[in-house]
Amino acid sequence: MAKTFSLSRRDDGVAVLTMDVPGETMNTLKSAFADEISGLLQEIKADSSIRGLVLISGKPDSFVAGADISMLDACQTVADAKALSQQGHKVFAELEGLNIPVVAAIHGACLGGGLELALACHLRVCSDDNKTMLGVPEVQLGLLPGGGGTQRLPRLVGITTALDMMLTGKQIRPKQALKMGLVNDMVPESILLRTAVEMALAGKRQPKVVNKSLVNKLLEGTALGRNIIFDQAAKQVLKKTQGNYPAPLKIIDCVRQGMARGMAQGLEVEASHFAELVMSKESAALRSIFFATTEMKKETGASGVEPRKVKKAVVLGGGLMGGGIASVTTTKAKIPARVKDINDKGLSNALAYAYKLLDKGVKRRHMTPAARDSLMALMTTTTEYTGVKDADIVVEAVFEDLALKHQMVRDIERECGEQTIFASNTSSLPISQIAEAASRPENVIGLHYFSPVEKMPLVEVIAHAKTSPETIATTVAFARKQGKTPIVVQDGAGFYVNRILALYMNEAAQLLLEGQSVEHLDKALVKFGFPVGPMTLLDEVGIDVGAKISPILEKELGERFKAPAAFDKLLADGRKGRKNGKGFYLYANNSKKIKPVDETVYGVLGITPGANKAAAAVAERCVVQMLNEAVRCLEEGIIASARDGDIGAIFGIGFPPFLGGPFHYIDSLGADKLVAILEGYSKQFGDRFAPCERLKAMAESGERFF
């Protein structure tokens, strides 16, 4: 078996231990490496000529990207998972226990188990490169740092900073890492090894004194103060997670116990908590999302073809969507984008939008003004069809009006090349209808972004019957370069995400009309695990937008999509939501404080809020509609797989990640239970709850999606 670690001895007495996992682009830690590392550490111990040790990566762009997650899936029991953590503790303790200085030379990703490895070294130096990022993102997989991170990190950078890193999973840039004492030095990559060698020869030194704020100094310095920190952290976590994620509270407990009872006890608690989390259904669900997205990155969306290279993009429309699409094209994909709008106001809005996003990076010192300006230079504007001839892809982001979109298709076919892709950012119009105006329908595709474009990770790539495989593959590659997670869906009204969302929103509206309060509806769905409730979401998206989409869905998909008539009353009262400061909530002074409900909305709808139903019952009624429709989309071939359906719902509308997506959730509920719930509601409220055929068949056979 090829070795992962190689040891070379230098003339100055420093040994360099290089990690390079054979056949992989990045280093990840595997349990199989334990014996190899232990053997090398024994060899180093026995060699008195070695005066210092430097740990470095053999990979060009990463130190260690973390532990290999697939090891966790191999664990059958809590005991298996605990043994894995304890094995890491043993190896890192051997490294830390060497009586010569041990220096980690970090360039590129140093995350999770990679940072825990670096923490077990006596000193750390990192490159000042943009690729260098340090962090412990385990919480995002429903886990905690299980290689001693919950114990070494707070002792190095302070409790408050360590908790912030572990509870958010945020990644730290080199300058920040140096300032917080996470690394001892930061140098250009060209002298990284030389600096690490010099540090090893200089000998062990006292850890850098961390500059804590006066409040943190006072709190972290006493047992009483530390308890205040832990209690406050737990309070904030429960508010944010609604108790749906067990990992954050276990992280706090590991640090609390380790600081109160010592490192050895802390490590024992860490291993036990880590093991319980590995076997939890929440972590299994979150890991399934990680594996799904990793798998999707390797797919082109159309088998047997390679994507064409996109060297230039054109965006039609300078509104919020157009500005956002142009911005991610230039800043993330580094592809020149030309924005076309009918007037200069739209164009200046698009430029201002992109500039504001980039300038945030300058203000946070993540980017220089020169770098911002060179990215801005990739975006150009026009009110005529000039400078668009050589575009490889045109993304249309104009109003939801079929005649207008037909005009756009004809304009682009006249002005651009024969291979130029026409991608429509429609949210509900079937792509086949837009393609009816095209003489080259094989180049027409849907590319549905979610708002705000720079934040929402999903895009739906919508193929109609005549879209060519090459157009699909090129559009998927383009979306990926923009930093998006694309799912390929087949054509149909509402596609996948808006279709499953529409029934969920309609049901929330029905509950509102039955007398559930706005606040209670939102709280019930947030408690279930959605990032915001349905009424807040409707205000954010725009009540007018929702009203426009509903008739399209009803016309194409039938009676069950009929929106409650009360929404006409909201529009008649001039309520569009946040955009005009009038919706379900009050938006005075754009203050960041919690918005109060606009109580006058009840009068407009002609209702009086009554007794609130149990939150779980409210959430169930909205969610089962979404689950049923998701299965119907799979049944009709709108989505290619249950995996794509899960990713689409999580990344597109914030379906609770800890449930793994609609299809994983149906598996955990059982199709038979879901069918029984739907049939119960169907008797009470009518056919809109009728379970689809695929679900009924699965309920009978006991079949699962995964």
Side-chain angles (χ1 to χ4, degrees):
M1 189 179 141
K3 297 274 190 223
T4 296
F5 294 87
S6 57
L7 187 68
S8 63
R9 291 165 171 81
R10 293 165 49 100
D11 295 341
D12 55 16
V14 173
V16 178
L17 185 60
T18 305
M19 179 178 183
D20 195 345
V21 182
E24 303 280 340
T25 52
M26 293 184 116
N27 286 329
T28 55
L29 297 171
K30 303 176 199 284
S31 60
F33 300 160
D35 291 344
E36 191 186 337
I37 302 174
S38 286
L40 283 166
L41 293 178
Q42 291 310 314
E43 189 185 319
I44 292 162
K45 241 183 193 170
D47 188 339
S48 58
S49 70
I50 297 177
R51 294 168 51 199
L53 179 67
V54 169
L55 216 70
I56 200 162
S57 166
K59 304 292 180 198
D61 289 330
S62 80
F63 178 69
V64 182
D68 181 355
I69 309 297
S70 56
M71 289 189 305
L72 307 180
D73 282 6
C75 295
Q76 300 289 308
T77 62
V78 169
D80 291 346
K82 188 170 182 181
L84 206 58
S85 174
Q86 288 173 325
Q87 181 189 47
H89 289 170
K90 180 174 173 288
V91 172
F92 289 167
E94 284 173 22
L95 181 68
E96 194 175 39
L98 289 176
N99 56 9
I100 53 168
V102 182
V103 185
I106 302 162
H107 169 67
C110 174
L111 301 170
L115 182 57
E116 290 180 294
L117 170 65
L119 289 171
C121 299
H122 306 134
L123 300 162
R124 286 151 296 284
V125 55
C126 74
S127 76
D128 58 7
D129 197 283
N130 276 341
K131 293 186 183 112
T132 299
M133 293 299 242
L134 300 91
V136 271
E138 287 89 344
V139 73
Q140 292 161 5
L141 294 175
L143 300 167
L144 54 76
T150 67
Q151 303 307 305
R152 291 190 179 94
L153 192 59
R155 286 170 170 82
L156 183 68
V157 299
I159 295 168
T160 314
T161 304
L163 282 176
D164 183 44
M165 281 177 69
M166 290 188 280
L167 295 174
T168 61
K170 64 165 70 160
Q171 297 187 9
I172 307 295
R173 292 163 188 269
K175 265 187 190 165
Q176 211 181 342
L178 181 64
K179 194 178 169 189
M180 66 165 63
L182 187 55
V183 297
N184 304 79
D185 205 353
M186 173 187 78
V187 296
E189 193 212 344
S190 55
I191 58 164
L192 180 67
L193 179 59
R194 191 178 88 199
T195 308
V197 167
E198 285 166 2
M199 284 166 77
L201 289 169
K204 293 183 191 178
R205 48 178 131 143
Q206 287 300 309
K208 186 179 167 187
V209 177
V210 183
N211 283 328
K212 297 177 189 170
S213 70
L214 183 62
V215 173
N216 281 354
K217 260 185 198 162
L218 291 170
L219 289 174
E220 292 187 20
T222 66
L224 182 66
R226 288 192 290 272
N227 281 337
I228 291 171
I229 293 173
F230 297 131
D231 291 346
Q232 281 302 109
K235 231 182 246 172
Q236 283 172 356
V237 157
L238 283 170
K239 189 180 171 189
K240 197 171 178 190
T241 66
Q242 299 291 317
N244 289 321
Y245 295 84
L249 291 176
K250 287 195 182 294
I251 288 171
I252 294 166
D253 189 51
C254 287
V255 181
R256 188 195 281 261
Q257 296 219 44
M259 297 313 276
R261 300 164 70 188
M263 180 101 166
Q265 185 58 39
L267 289 171
E268 171 57 32
V269 173
E270 179 185 274
S272 299
H273 281 351
F274 174 80
E276 286 163 25
L277 290 171
V278 169
M279 303 313 289
S280 71
K281 61 183 192 305
E282 291 87 359
S283 178
L286 292 165
R287 297 198 307 266
S288 77
I289 300 165
F290 172 80
F291 288 124
T293 50
T294 306
E295 196 181 359
M296 288 166 92
K297 282 175 190 162
K298 300 170 191 162
E299 299 168 357
T300 64
S303 52
V305 292
E306 284 301 308
R308 285 199 308 273
K309 197 165 169 54
V310 173
K311 296 181 190 142
K312 182 176 179 180
V314 167
V315 178
L316 301 178
L320 272 182
M321 286 307 278
I325 294 163
S327 175
V328 294
T329 305
T330 53
T331 57
K332 292 269 170 62
K334 312 284 192 288
I335 293 170
R338 193 153 177 80
V339 185
K340 152 86 172 72
D341 200 285
I342 52 172
N343 62 47
D344 288 322
K345 187 171 186 286
L347 297 175
S348 56
N349 283 346
L351 287 168
Y353 190 77
Y355 184 86
K356 190 178 166 190
L357 291 175
L358 282 171
D359 203 42
K360 275 184 190 168
V362 175
K363 283 176 178 155
R364 289 175 184 155
R365 300 189 176 177
H366 295 166
M367 178 186 281
T368 63
R372 172 199 63 204
D373 296 344
S374 71
L375 283 172
M376 277 307 298
L378 289 173
M379 194 185 293
T380 56
T381 60
T382 179
T383 53
E384 305 294 327
Y385 281 106
T386 55
V388 301
K389 203 179 179 65
D390 54 344
D392 300 295
I393 189 166
V394 174
V395 185
E396 165 273 301
V398 300
F399 298 114
E400 288 289 88
D401 179 294
L402 192 58
L404 179 60
K405 291 184 191 282
H406 280 170
Q407 185 58 52
M408 298 288 108
V409 173
R410 286 191 285 265
D411 288 353
I412 291 307
E413 289 197 328
R414 184 185 69 240
E415 300 289 343
C416 297
E418 284 196 7
Q419 287 194 313
T420 302
I421 292 169
F422 182 89
S424 175
N425 174 51
T426 176
S427 53
S428 55
L429 291 167
I431 302 303
S432 57
Q433 291 181 16
I434 295 169
E436 281 166 7
S439 58
R440 297 190 286 272
E442 67 279 7
N443 293 346
V444 178
I445 196 163
L447 188 54
H448 178 214
Y449 295 84
F450 296 81
S451 187
V453 177
E454 71 280 2
K455 284 188 181 155
M456 295 299 280
L458 188 80
V459 288
E460 289 178 302
V461 174
I462 307 115
H464 66 100
K466 292 179 183 169
T467 306
S468 73
E470 193 179 37
T471 295
I472 297 171
T474 305
T475 307
V476 165
F478 173 68
R480 217 168 260 145
K481 280 198 86 172
Q482 292 175 319
K484 301 295 171 196
T485 298
I487 60 165
V488 177
V489 302
Q490 293 310 306
D491 197 17
F495 318 124
Y496 170 64
V497 173
N498 277 353
R499 183 168 154 181
I500 64 171
L501 179 64
L503 290 183
Y504 161 87
M505 298 293 274
N506 281 356
E507 206 52 50
Q510 296 284 4
L511 281 155
L512 177 71
L513 297 178
E514 287 169 25
Q516 296 300 294
S517 71
V518 169
E519 206 171 9
H520 181 62
L521 277 166
D522 275 352
K523 279 185 175 165
L525 273 307
V526 167
K527 175 76 186 146
F528 181 78
F530 282 94
V532 295
M535 300 295 118
T536 299
L537 184 60
L538 200 53
D539 264 4
E540 293 293 338
V541 171
I543 296 166
D544 54 332
V545 175
K548 228 178 221 171
I549 292 171
S550 283
I552 298 172
L553 296 178
E554 190 189 343
K555 180 175 164 247
E556 299 284 335
L557 298 166
E559 184 71 16
R560 71 181 184 281
F561 279 89
K562 189 173 176 63
F567 282 88
D568 298 339
K569 294 179 183 174
L570 294 173
L571 291 176
D573 192 49
R575 290 175 191 261
K576 291 183 180 177
R578 184 187 276 280
K579 68 172 86 165
N580 74 339
K582 200 175 176 190
F584 292 103
Y585 288 90
L586 293 166
Y587 294 94
N589 314 325
N590 273 339
S591 104
K592 295 265 182 182
K593 287 182 186 154
I594 293 170
K595 307 172 296 295
V597 172
D598 181 354
E599 299 289 339
T600 63
V601 79
Y602 299 120
V604 172
L605 294 170
I607 54 175
T608 307
N612 284 325
K613 294 185 164 98
V618 167
E620 180 185 85
R621 217 174 108 183
C622 296
V623 171
V624 294
Q625 283 274 34
M626 187 183 272
L627 301 179
N628 194 20
E629 200 60 29
V631 179
R632 206 178 262 120
C633 287
L634 183 62
E635 189 176 39
E636 292 172 17
I638 296 290
I639 46 174
S641 64
R643 177 204 72 179
D644 288 6
D646 279 346
I647 295 300
I650 290 166
F651 287 4
I653 46 185
F655 189 92
F658 71 94
L659 296 175
F663 294 93
H664 267 96
Y665 184 46
I666 293 168
D667 275 359
S668 68
L669 273 178
D672 53 345
K673 188 181 173 192
L674 178 56
V675 166
I677 294 168
L678 285 163
E679 284 173 343
Y681 283 132
S682 194
K683 280 180 193 145
Q684 211 176 338
F685 302 109
D687 285 347
R688 69 178 189 270
F689 280 100
C692 71
E693 293 306 316
R694 171 91 186 252
L695 260 183
K696 289 196 281 193
M698 287 178 72
E700 275 183 37
S701 65
E703 189 197 338
R704 296 167 59 85
F705 290 109
F706 296 97

CSV table of all heavy atoms in Angstrom, one decimal, residues 316 385 388-389 394 405-422 434-444:
chain,number,residue,atom,x,y,z
A,316,LEU,N,-30.1,40.2,-19.8
A,316,LEU,CA,-31.1,41.1,-20.2
A,316,LEU,C,-32.0,41.5,-19.0
A,316,LEU,O,-32.6,40.7,-18.4
A,316,LEU,CB,-32.0,40.4,-21.3
A,316,LEU,CG,-31.4,39.9,-22.6
A,316,LEU,CD1,-32.4,39.2,-23.4
A,316,LEU,CD2,-30.7,41.0,-23.3
A,385,TYR,N,-28.6,46.7,-28.6
A,385,TYR,CA,-27.9,45.4,-28.8
A,385,TYR,C,-26.5,45.6,-29.4
A,385,TYR,O,-26.2,45.2,-30.5
A,385,TYR,CB,-28.8,44.5,-29.6
A,385,TYR,CG,-29.9,43.9,-28.9
A,385,TYR,CD1,-31.2,44.3,-29.1
A,385,TYR,CD2,-29.7,42.9,-27.9
A,385,TYR,CE1,-32.3,43.8,-28.4
A,385,TYR,CE2,-30.8,42.4,-27.2
A,385,TYR,CZ,-32.0,42.8,-27.4
A,385,TYR,OH,-33.1,42.3,-26.7
A,388,VAL,N,-22.9,42.5,-28.1
A,388,VAL,CA,-23.5,41.2,-27.6
A,388,VAL,C,-23.3,40.1,-28.6
A,388,VAL,O,-23.6,38.9,-28.3
A,388,VAL,CB,-25.1,41.4,-27.4
A,388,VAL,CG1,-25.3,42.5,-26.3
A,388,VAL,CG2,-25.8,41.7,-28.7
A,389,LYS,N,-22.8,40.4,-29.8
A,389,LYS,CA,-22.6,39.5,-30.9
A,389,LYS,C,-21.9,38.2,-30.5
A,389,LYS,O,-22.2,37.1,-30.9
A,389,LYS,CB,-21.9,40.2,-32.0
A,389,LYS,CG,-22.1,39.6,-33.4
A,389,LYS,CD,-21.3,40.5,-34.4
A,389,LYS,CE,-21.4,39.9,-35.8
A,389,LYS,NZ,-22.8,40.0,-36.3
A,394,VAL,N,-26.9,34.0,-23.0
A,394,VAL,CA,-27.7,35.2,-22.7
A,394,VAL,C,-28.7,34.8,-21.6
A,394,VAL,O,-29.4,33.8,-21.8
A,394,VAL,CB,-28.4,35.8,-23.9
A,394,VAL,CG1,-29.3,36.9,-23.5
A,394,VAL,CG2,-27.5,36.2,-25.0
A,405,LYS,N,-41.0,37.9,-23.4
A,405,LYS,CA,-40.0,36.9,-23.5
A,405,LYS,C,-39.8,36.4,-25.0
A,405,LYS,O,-38.7,36.1,-25.4
A,405,LYS,CB,-40.2,35.7,-22.5
A,405,LYS,CG,-40.1,36.2,-21.1
A,405,LYS,CD,-40.2,35.1,-20.1
A,405,LYS,CE,-40.3,35.6,-18.6
A,405,LYS,NZ,-39.1,36.0,-18.0
A,406,HIS,N,-40.9,36.3,-25.7
A,406,HIS,CA,-40.8,35.9,-27.1
A,406,HIS,C,-40.0,37.0,-27.9
A,406,HIS,O,-39.2,36.6,-28.7
A,406,HIS,CB,-42.2,35.8,-27.7
A,406,HIS,CG,-42.9,34.5,-27.4
A,406,HIS,ND1,-44.2,34.2,-27.6
A,406,HIS,CD2,-42.4,33.3,-26.8
A,406,HIS,CE1,-44.5,33.0,-27.3
A,406,HIS,NE2,-43.4,32.4,-26.8
A,407,GLN,N,-40.2,38.2,-27.6
A,407,GLN,CA,-39.5,39.3,-28.2
A,407,GLN,C,-38.0,39.2,-28.0
A,407,GLN,O,-37.2,39.4,-28.9
A,407,GLN,CB,-40.0,40.7,-27.7
A,407,GLN,CG,-39.4,41.9,-28.4
A,407,GLN,CD,-39.7,41.9,-29.9
A,407,GLN,OE1,-40.8,41.7,-30.4
A,407,GLN,NE2,-38.6,42.0,-30.7
A,408,MET,N,-37.7,38.9,-26.7
A,408,MET,CA,-36.3,38.7,-26.3
A,408,MET,C,-35.6,37.6,-27.1
A,408,MET,O,-34.5,37.7,-27.6
A,408,MET,CB,-36.1,38.4,-24.8
A,408,MET,CG,-36.7,39.4,-23.9
A,408,MET,SD,-35.7,40.9,-23.8
A,408,MET,CE,-36.7,42.1,-24.7
A,409,VAL,N,-36.3,36.5,-27.2
A,409,VAL,CA,-35.8,35.3,-28.0
A,409,VAL,C,-35.4,35.7,-29.4
A,409,VAL,O,-34.4,35.5,-30.0
A,409,VAL,CB,-36.8,34.1,-28.0
A,409,VAL,CG1,-36.3,33.0,-28.9
A,409,VAL,CG2,-36.9,33.6,-26.6
A,410,ARG,N,-36.4,36.4,-30.1
A,410,ARG,CA,-36.2,36.8,-31.5
A,410,ARG,C,-35.1,37.8,-31.6
A,410,ARG,O,-34.2,37.7,-32.5
A,410,ARG,CB,-37.5,37.4,-32.0
A,410,ARG,CG,-38.6,36.4,-32.3
A,410,ARG,CD,-39.8,36.9,-33.1
A,410,ARG,NE,-40.6,37.8,-32.2
A,410,ARG,CZ,-41.7,37.3,-31.6
A,410,ARG,NH1,-42.1,36.0,-31.7
A,410,ARG,NH2,-42.4,38.1,-30.8
A,411,ASP,N,-35.0,38.8,-30.6
A,411,ASP,CA,-33.9,39.7,-30.6
A,411,ASP,C,-32.5,39.1,-30.6
A,411,ASP,O,-31.6,39.4,-31.3
A,411,ASP,CB,-34.0,40.7,-29.5
A,411,ASP,CG,-35.2,41.7,-29.6
A,411,ASP,OD1,-35.8,41.7,-30.7
A,411,ASP,OD2,-35.5,42.4,-28.7
A,412,ILE,N,-32.4,38.1,-29.6
A,412,ILE,CA,-31.1,37.4,-29.4
A,412,ILE,C,-30.7,36.6,-30.6
A,412,ILE,O,-29.6,36.6,-31.1
A,412,ILE,CB,-31.1,36.6,-28.1
A,412,ILE,CG1,-31.2,37.6,-26.9
A,412,ILE,CG2,-29.9,35.7,-28.0
A,412,ILE,CD1,-30.1,38.6,-26.9
A,413,GLU,N,-31.7,35.9,-31.2
A,413,GLU,CA,-31.4,35.1,-32.4
A,413,GLU,C,-30.9,36.0,-33.6
A,413,GLU,O,-30.1,35.6,-34.4
A,413,GLU,CB,-32.6,34.3,-32.8
A,413,GLU,CG,-32.8,33.1,-31.8
A,413,GLU,CD,-33.8,32.0,-32.3
A,413,GLU,OE1,-34.7,32.3,-33.1
A,413,GLU,OE2,-33.6,30.9,-31.9
A,414,ARG,N,-31.4,37.2,-33.6
A,414,ARG,CA,-31.1,38.1,-34.7
A,414,ARG,C,-29.7,38.7,-34.4
A,414,ARG,O,-28.9,38.9,-35.3
A,414,ARG,CB,-32.1,39.3,-34.7
A,414,ARG,CG,-31.9,40.3,-35.9
A,414,ARG,CD,-32.9,41.5,-35.7
A,414,ARG,NE,-32.6,42.3,-34.6
A,414,ARG,CZ,-33.4,42.5,-33.6
A,414,ARG,NH1,-34.7,42.0,-33.6
A,414,ARG,NH2,-33.1,43.3,-32.6
A,415,GLU,N,-29.4,39.0,-33.1
A,415,GLU,CA,-28.1,39.7,-32.8
A,415,GLU,C,-26.9,38.9,-32.5
A,415,GLU,O,-25.8,39.4,-32.5
A,415,GLU,CB,-28.4,40.7,-31.6
A,415,GLU,CG,-29.5,41.7,-31.8
A,415,GLU,CD,-29.1,42.8,-32.8
A,415,GLU,OE1,-27.9,43.0,-33.0
A,415,GLU,OE2,-30.0,43.5,-33.3
A,416,CYS,N,-27.2,37.6,-32.0
A,416,CYS,CA,-26.0,36.8,-31.5
A,416,CYS,C,-25.7,35.6,-32.5
A,416,CYS,O,-26.4,35.5,-33.5
A,416,CYS,CB,-26.4,36.3,-30.2
A,416,CYS,SG,-26.5,37.6,-29.0
A,417,GLY,N,-24.8,34.8,-32.1
A,417,GLY,CA,-24.3,33.7,-32.9
A,417,GLY,C,-25.3,32.5,-32.9
A,417,GLY,O,-26.2,32.5,-32.1
A,418,GLU,N,-25.0,31.6,-33.8
A,418,GLU,CA,-25.9,30.4,-34.0
A,418,GLU,C,-25.9,29.5,-32.8
A,418,GLU,O,-26.8,28.8,-32.5
A,418,GLU,CB,-25.5,29.7,-35.2
A,418,GLU,CG,-26.0,30.3,-36.5
A,418,GLU,CD,-26.0,29.4,-37.7
A,418,GLU,OE1,-25.7,28.2,-37.5
A,418,GLU,OE2,-26.2,29.9,-38.8
A,419,GLN,N,-24.8,29.6,-32.0
A,419,GLN,CA,-24.6,28.7,-30.9
A,419,GLN,C,-25.0,29.3,-29.5
A,419,GLN,O,-24.9,28.7,-28.5
A,419,GLN,CB,-23.2,28.1,-30.8
A,419,GLN,CG,-23.0,27.0,-31.9
A,419,GLN,CD,-21.7,26.3,-31.6
A,419,GLN,OE1,-20.7,26.8,-31.2
A,419,GLN,NE2,-21.8,24.9,-31.6
A,420,THR,N,-25.3,30.6,-29.6
A,420,THR,CA,-25.6,31.4,-28.3
A,420,THR,C,-26.8,30.7,-27.6
A,420,THR,O,-27.9,30.5,-28.2
A,420,THR,CB,-25.9,32.8,-28.6
A,420,THR,OG1,-24.8,33.4,-29.3
A,420,THR,CG2,-26.1,33.6,-27.3
A,421,ILE,N,-26.6,30.4,-26.3
A,421,ILE,CA,-27.7,29.9,-25.5
A,421,ILE,C,-28.6,31.0,-25.0
A,421,ILE,O,-28.1,32.0,-24.5
A,421,ILE,CB,-27.0,29.1,-24.3
A,421,ILE,CG1,-26.3,27.8,-24.8
A,421,ILE,CG2,-28.1,28.7,-23.3
A,421,ILE,CD1,-25.5,27.1,-23.8
A,422,PHE,N,-29.9,30.8,-25.1
A,422,PHE,CA,-30.8,31.7,-24.5
A,422,PHE,C,-31.4,31.1,-23.2
A,422,PHE,O,-32.2,30.1,-23.3
A,422,PHE,CB,-32.0,32.0,-25.5
A,422,PHE,CG,-33.0,33.0,-25.0
A,422,PHE,CD1,-32.8,34.4,-25.2
A,422,PHE,CD2,-34.1,32.6,-24.2
A,422,PHE,CE1,-33.7,35.3,-24.7
A,422,PHE,CE2,-35.0,33.5,-23.7
A,422,PHE,CZ,-34.8,34.9,-24.0
A,434,ILE,N,-41.9,29.5,-24.1
A,434,ILE,CA,-40.9,30.6,-24.4
A,434,ILE,C,-40.2,30.2,-25.7
A,434,ILE,O,-39.9,31.0,-26.6
A,434,ILE,CB,-39.9,30.8,-23.3
A,434,ILE,CG1,-40.7,31.4,-22.1
A,434,ILE,CG2,-38.8,31.8,-23.7
A,434,ILE,CD1,-39.9,31.4,-20.8
A,435,ALA,N,-39.8,28.9,-25.9
A,435,ALA,CA,-39.1,28.4,-27.0
A,435,ALA,C,-39.9,28.4,-28.3
A,435,ALA,O,-39.4,28.3,-29.4
A,435,ALA,CB,-38.6,27.0,-26.8
A,436,GLU,N,-41.2,28.6,-28.2
A,436,GLU,CA,-42.1,28.6,-29.4
A,436,GLU,C,-41.7,29.7,-30.4
A,436,GLU,O,-41.9,29.6,-31.6
A,436,GLU,CB,-43.6,28.8,-29.0
A,436,GLU,CG,-44.2,27.5,-28.5
A,436,GLU,CD,-45.5,27.7,-27.8
A,436,GLU,OE1,-46.0,28.8,-27.8
A,436,GLU,OE2,-46.1,26.7,-27.3
A,437,ALA,N,-41.1,30.8,-29.8
A,437,ALA,CA,-40.7,31.9,-30.7
A,437,ALA,C,-39.3,31.7,-31.3
A,437,ALA,O,-38.9,32.6,-32.1
A,437,ALA,CB,-40.7,33.2,-29.9
A,438,ALA,N,-38.6,30.6,-31.0
A,438,ALA,CA,-37.2,30.4,-31.4
A,438,ALA,C,-37.1,29.7,-32.7
A,438,ALA,O,-37.9,28.7,-32.9
A,438,ALA,CB,-36.5,29.7,-30.3
A,439,SER,N,-36.2,30.1,-33.6
A,439,SER,CA,-35.9,29.3,-34.8
A,439,SER,C,-34.8,28.2,-34.4
A,439,SER,O,-34.6,27.3,-35.2
A,439,SER,CB,-35.5,30.2,-35.9
A,439,SER,OG,-34.3,30.9,-35.5
A,440,ARG,N,-34.2,28.5,-33.3
A,440,ARG,CA,-33.2,27.5,-32.8
A,440,ARG,C,-33.6,27.0,-31.4
A,440,ARG,O,-32.9,27.4,-30.4
A,440,ARG,CB,-31.8,28.1,-32.8
A,440,ARG,CG,-31.3,28.5,-34.2
A,440,ARG,CD,-29.8,28.8,-34.2
A,440,ARG,NE,-29.5,30.1,-33.6
A,440,ARG,CZ,-29.6,31.3,-34.3
A,440,ARG,NH1,-29.9,31.3,-35.6
A,440,ARG,NH2,-29.3,32.4,-33.7
A,441,PRO,N,-34.7,26.3,-31.2
A,441,PRO,CA,-35.2,25.9,-29.9
A,441,PRO,C,-34.2,25.1,-29.1
A,441,PRO,O,-34.3,25.1,-27.9
A,441,PRO,CB,-36.5,25.1,-30.2
A,441,PRO,CG,-36.4,24.7,-31.6
A,441,PRO,CD,-35.5,25.7,-32.3
A,442,GLU,N,-33.3,24.4,-29.8
A,442,GLU,CA,-32.3,23.6,-29.1
A,442,GLU,C,-31.4,24.4,-28.2
A,442,GLU,O,-30.7,23.9,-27.2
A,442,GLU,CB,-31.4,22.7,-30.0
A,442,GLU,CG,-30.5,23.5,-31.0
A,442,GLU,CD,-31.2,24.1,-32.2
A,442,GLU,OE1,-32.4,24.1,-32.3
A,442,GLU,OE2,-30.4,24.6,-33.1
A,443,ASN,N,-31.3,25.7,-28.4
A,443,ASN,CA,-30.4,26.6,-27.6
A,443,ASN,C,-31.2,27.3,-26.5
A,443,ASN,O,-30.6,28.0,-25.7
A,443,ASN,CB,-29.9,27.8,-28.5
A,443,ASN,CG,-28.9,27.3,-29.5
A,443,ASN,OD1,-28.4,26.2,-29.5
A,443,ASN,ND2,-28.6,28.1,-30.5
A,444,VAL,N,-32.5,27.0,-26.4
A,444,VAL,CA,-33.3,27.7,-25.4
A,444,VAL,C,-33.5,26.8,-24.1
A,444,VAL,O,-33.7,25.6,-24.2
A,444,VAL,CB,-34.7,28.0,-25.9
A,444,VAL,CG1,-35.6,28.7,-24.8
A,444,VAL,CG2,-34.6,29.0,-27.1
